[in-house]
């Protein structure tokens, strides 16, 4: 099996027969690859949530009205369009295909896209009418092109300008010290992915947002009721009880706009017809190499590959 990082060269090799398996990260390549008759494109709901974090210790994100305006000013469907369908709209922390995904209509309303409501949220603040904005920055990992994060970040900046009259500057940070700076809790906004390490909601609600841990806080947001629910969610005896608890927790953090879930990344895996023994999860989805499952490439075979 031959696998190389996706570039224009990799796409050409995939089409010509030099590659058996590839991951489609770049939206610009989707239509070109799908047009090839000898390729099987499988869409996998990857365990990755792209979100905006709010560091509430830094103005103006310490103002709830500002956070609510922001939460109604971003159109998730537009992010789907600019990535050529390599993401899906997200209204909760846990991705589709992972236990804990909350398919509840009430969550779609809390931070739903509504430019008029976004502007209305600013009434009574110093920013009423989309005026008098201070300097606003949004930090993100540098060199995120392969995940379309840079494409989405620039579109978010454009949407905030259109819908709130707000100028936002993107501040790229090298991966080498990204986490160290993130844990300082000084950034106003951060555009960040959460790649699940294990398929359970506690990896999101507990590891990401639980505020009673001693270190590693990814945002300056805290709520005692939320923290209590995170503990209860870990201890609840049945899946149904756990989901009910996490729905309460998700509702609390979204109403306070402790974060903004934006999209789930959709991994599109491209296979030649002779690639076999690709593992699937309980949802029937092919499981790519990644944080949760790291042995896929050891199991696939190409015994029926035509001789060159």
């Amino acid at each position: 099996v031959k696998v190389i990082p996706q570039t224009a060269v990799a796409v050409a090799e995939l089409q010509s027969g030099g590659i058996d398996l590839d991951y489609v990260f770049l939206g610009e390549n989707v239509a070109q690859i799908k047009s090839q008759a000898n390729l099987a494109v499988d869409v996998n709901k990857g365990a990755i949530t792209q979100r905006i974090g709010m560091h509430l210790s830094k103005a103006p994100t310490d103002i709830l009205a500002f956070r609510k305006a922001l939460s109604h000013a971003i159109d998730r469907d537009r992010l789907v369009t600019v990535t050529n369908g390599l993401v899906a709209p997200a209204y909760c922390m846990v991705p589709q295909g992972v236990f804990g995904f909350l398919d509840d209509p009430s969550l779609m309303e809390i931070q739903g896209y509504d430019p008029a409501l976004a502007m209305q949220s600013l009434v009574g603040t110093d920013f009423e009418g989309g005026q008098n904005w201070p300097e606003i920055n949004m930090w993100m990992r540098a060199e995120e092109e392969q995940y379309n994060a840079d494409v989405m970040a620039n579109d978010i900046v454009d949407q905030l300008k259109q819908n709130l009259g707000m100028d936002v500057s993107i501040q790229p940070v090298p991966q080498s010290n990204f986490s160290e700076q993130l844990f300082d809790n000084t950034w106003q906004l951060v555009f960040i992915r959460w790649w699940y390490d294990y398929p359970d909601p506690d990896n999101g609600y507990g590891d990401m947002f639980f505020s009673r841990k001693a270190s590693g806080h990814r945002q300056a947001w805290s709520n005692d009721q939320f923290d209590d629910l995170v503990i209860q969610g870990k201890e609840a005896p049945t899946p149904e009880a756990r989901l009910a608890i996490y729905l309460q927790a998700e509702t609390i953090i979204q109403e306070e706009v402790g974060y903004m879930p934006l999209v789930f990344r959709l991994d599109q895996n491209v296979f030649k017809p002779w690639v076999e023994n690709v593992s699937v999860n309980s949802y029937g989805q092919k499981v790519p190499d990644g944080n949760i499952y790291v042995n896929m490439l050891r199991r696939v075979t190409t015994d029926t590959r035509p001789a060159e």
Side-chain angles (χ1 to χ4, degrees):
V1 179
K2 183 178 181 183
V3 183
I4 66 175
Q6 189 186 95
T7 61
V9 174
V11 173
E13 282 206 44
L14 185 66
Q15 294 169 339
S16 66
I19 297 177
D20 297 316
L21 162 67
D22 199 9
Y23 304 125
V24 183
F25 291 129
L26 303 176
E28 64 196 47
N29 294 330
V30 172
Q32 181 183 10
I33 288 175
K34 285 186 174 181
S35 68
Q36 302 300 305
N38 66 334
L39 298 178
V41 180
D42 181 78
V43 178
N44 180 74
K45 296 179 174 66
I48 304 168
T49 305
Q50 198 87 31
R51 66 186 182 88
I52 286 182
M54 310 276 188
H55 292 296
L56 275 62
S57 61
K58 190 77 171 179
T61 53
D62 57 341
I63 302 172
L64 179 58
F66 169 84
R67 302 197 303 273
K68 285 188 173 182
L70 208 68
S71 75
H72 295 300
I74 299 175
D75 184 358
R76 292 162 175 81
D77 290 332
R78 230 177 85 163
L79 300 181
V80 175
T81 299
V82 299
T83 61
N84 284 335
L86 287 182
V87 298
Y91 295 94
C92 66
M93 185 62 202
V94 180
Q96 301 161 299
V98 176
F99 172 73
F101 170 67
L102 299 169
D103 188 16
D104 193 292
S106 66
L107 296 177
M108 300 180 68
E109 300 297 324
I110 300 174
Q111 295 189 13
Y113 177 60
D114 188 335
L117 183 57
M119 194 63 78
Q120 182 182 334
S121 300
L122 298 174
V123 173
T125 72
D126 292 340
F127 318 118
E128 184 172 341
Q131 305 290 326
N132 306 313
W133 290 116
E135 179 181 355
I136 298 176
N137 294 285
M138 182 173 71
W139 280 259
M140 63 180 292
R141 289 183 176 89
E143 300 177 354
E144 286 270 81
E145 293 88 352
Q146 68 171 337
Y147 298 114
N148 297 289
D150 58 330
V151 173
M152 290 187 286
N154 281 286
D155 189 66
I156 288 168
V157 167
D158 186 58
Q159 291 195 48
L160 293 177
K161 179 63 173 179
Q162 290 181 24
N163 296 326
L164 294 175
M166 179 192 304
D167 291 310
V168 179
S169 297
I170 296 175
Q171 304 293 336
V173 179
Q175 177 62 41
S176 58
N177 65 347
F178 181 86
S179 295
E180 179 183 354
Q181 294 190 52
L182 176 69
F183 293 158
D184 286 339
N185 293 148
T186 58
W187 294 341
Q188 293 165 309
L189 305 173
V190 57
F191 185 54
I192 187 172
R193 68 179 187 267
W194 181 249
W195 201 321
Y196 272 69
D197 298 305
Y198 54 94
D200 189 271
D202 190 62
N203 187 220
Y205 298 111
D207 295 335
M208 176 69 69
F209 298 119
F210 186 70
S211 67
R212 295 176 191 166
K213 54 187 177 181
S215 62
H217 296 91
R218 289 173 170 81
Q219 62 286 309
W221 178 84
S222 179
N223 180 289
D224 283 340
Q225 185 181 1
F226 177 91
D227 284 350
D228 289 342
L229 288 168
V230 170
I231 295 171
Q232 294 171 29
K234 292 175 65 174
E235 298 174 347
T238 66
E240 294 77 14
R242 296 189 71 203
L243 290 177
I245 290 169
Y246 288 124
L247 177 57
Q248 294 180 60
E250 183 75 55
T251 300
I252 288 171
I253 193 171
Q254 285 206 37
E255 287 180 341
E256 293 194 4
V257 200
Y259 88 118
M260 289 179 58
L262 292 178
V263 294
F264 301 130
R265 202 179 88 197
L266 299 181
D267 293 324
Q268 300 206 28
N269 310 297
V270 186
F271 304 93
K272 289 297 177 65
W274 49 80
V275 177
E276 301 172 337
N277 298 320
V278 179
S279 296
V280 298
N281 61 20
S282 59
Y283 296 89
Q285 302 164 348
K286 290 183 172 64
V287 182
D289 230 39
N291 284 25
I292 293 177
Y293 182 60
V294 296
N295 293 310
M296 179 187 118
L297 296 179
R298 298 180 185 178
R299 298 175 183 270
V300 295
T301 60
T302 57
D303 295 338
T304 60
R305 191 182 203 277
E308 295 182 359

